[in-house]
Amino acid sequence: MISNKGMKIDEGLIIEQMKSPKTREEGLRMLMSAYQSRLYWHIRRLVVQHDDAQDLLQDTFVKVYHNFDKFKGGSQLYTWLYRIATNEALQHLNKVKKMKVTDEGAEYYLQNAVAENAKHDAEELEIMLQKAIQCLPEKQRLVFTLKYYDDLPYEEMSKILDMSVGTLKTNYHYAKEKVTEYLRQNIEEFE
């Protein structure tokens, strides 16, 4: 059993429910109740737009429902879910890039999406942080998001992203440096 912000999640029970055709729908409800918020915010940080995140979250759960027999239990359930959600978000971002003429166009789209989706009372620093994250190369953005927001251990990230722990640490280090530099430059301009 693992904890999800005060709520106990019995992965074993969810898995048992999902494996049986008779209880699969109940298992899906349990799974969604346990992981919907975490997965939504993970996807949202990657794709920025609320509507896109909602659609991708739904796509993630549909894939999980139809492909649960492929979950072999070699990792924790949430690790498997994060991997599916991450792949859905990356496929979406690749479609966005293909629709844009250049990488700069896609970057511009993502940065403007951050500003458009920011709450009116959001602090300028949070908006700058989100823009800095969107400027990172894709791998660094993924690693930074999983480590900074979700505080996942490198071993779990390795299973989700299919990268070695050393590669993850290197990507996080470079991402952190780039985010710090972006914030330093933009805060100086803001002041």
Side-chain angles (χ1 to χ4, degrees):
M1 225 183 279
I2 61 173
S3 177
N4 183 19
K5 295 188 180 185
M7 181 177 90
K8 295 290 183 191
I9 299 170
D10 188 343
E11 283 194 350
L13 180 60
I14 292 172
I15 292 167
E16 182 182 310
Q17 296 287 315
M18 289 293 293
K19 292 243 180 210
S20 169
K22 293 180 182 177
T23 58
R24 182 167 281 188
E25 287 185 25
E26 178 59 27
L28 182 64
R29 279 192 284 282
M30 292 169 62
L31 186 134
M32 289 173 69
S33 174
Y35 297 106
Q36 186 167 355
S37 180
R38 287 172 68 187
L39 290 174
Y40 167 80
W41 284 108
H42 170 64
I43 294 168
R44 174 86 184 259
R45 288 182 196 106
L46 296 174
V47 302
V48 181
Q49 297 279 2
H50 165 74
D51 291 341
D52 292 341
Q54 285 288 96
D55 291 345
L56 293 168
L57 179 65
Q58 184 176 4
D59 293 346
T60 297
F61 284 124
V62 167
K63 268 199 174 157
V64 166
Y65 184 82
H66 290 296
N67 296 295
F68 199 80
D69 56 324
K70 293 180 183 174
F71 176 67
K72 303 298 181 202
S75 63
Q76 290 186 339
L77 180 58
Y78 83 87
T79 302
W80 188 68
L81 296 171
Y82 264 67
R83 186 172 190 145
I84 293 169
T86 300
N87 288 337
E88 289 295 311
L90 290 176
Q91 287 174 6
H92 172 77
L93 290 173
N94 285 334
K95 286 179 191 173
V96 168
K97 281 183 185 177
K98 286 178 183 174
M99 291 186 330
K100 304 300 174 192
V101 177
T102 65
D103 284 341
E104 291 83 21
E107 182 180 306
Y108 177 79
Y109 165 81
L110 289 170
Q111 286 192 358
N112 282 337
V114 167
E116 289 170 13
N117 283 286
K119 292 182 180 177
H120 295 292
D121 60 346
E123 293 183 26
E124 186 70 25
L125 186 58
E126 179 62 26
I127 294 170
M128 278 191 248
L129 174 61
Q130 290 301 317
K131 287 182 177 182
I133 292 168
Q134 293 307 318
C135 287
L136 294 172
E138 187 174 274
K139 285 182 183 178
Q140 290 177 11
R141 185 170 61 239
L142 284 169
V143 172
F144 186 85
T145 300
L146 289 171
K147 190 69 179 158
Y148 182 80
Y149 287 107
D150 297 318
D151 197 26
L152 291 179
Y154 286 111
E155 292 74 21
E156 289 299 317
M157 290 169 51
S158 176
K159 293 174 187 171
I160 293 168
L161 300 176
D162 198 25
M163 290 185 212
S164 72
V165 170
T167 300
L168 292 168
K169 287 181 178 181
T170 300
N171 275 290
Y172 183 71
H173 173 76
Y174 286 126
K176 195 166 69 169
E177 284 183 347
K178 289 175 183 176
V179 166
T180 302
E181 184 58 30
Y182 182 96
L183 291 175
R184 186 176 296 125
Q185 288 176 357
N186 285 283
I187 287 173
E188 288 171 5
E189 290 175 14
F190 182 70
E191 296 175 333

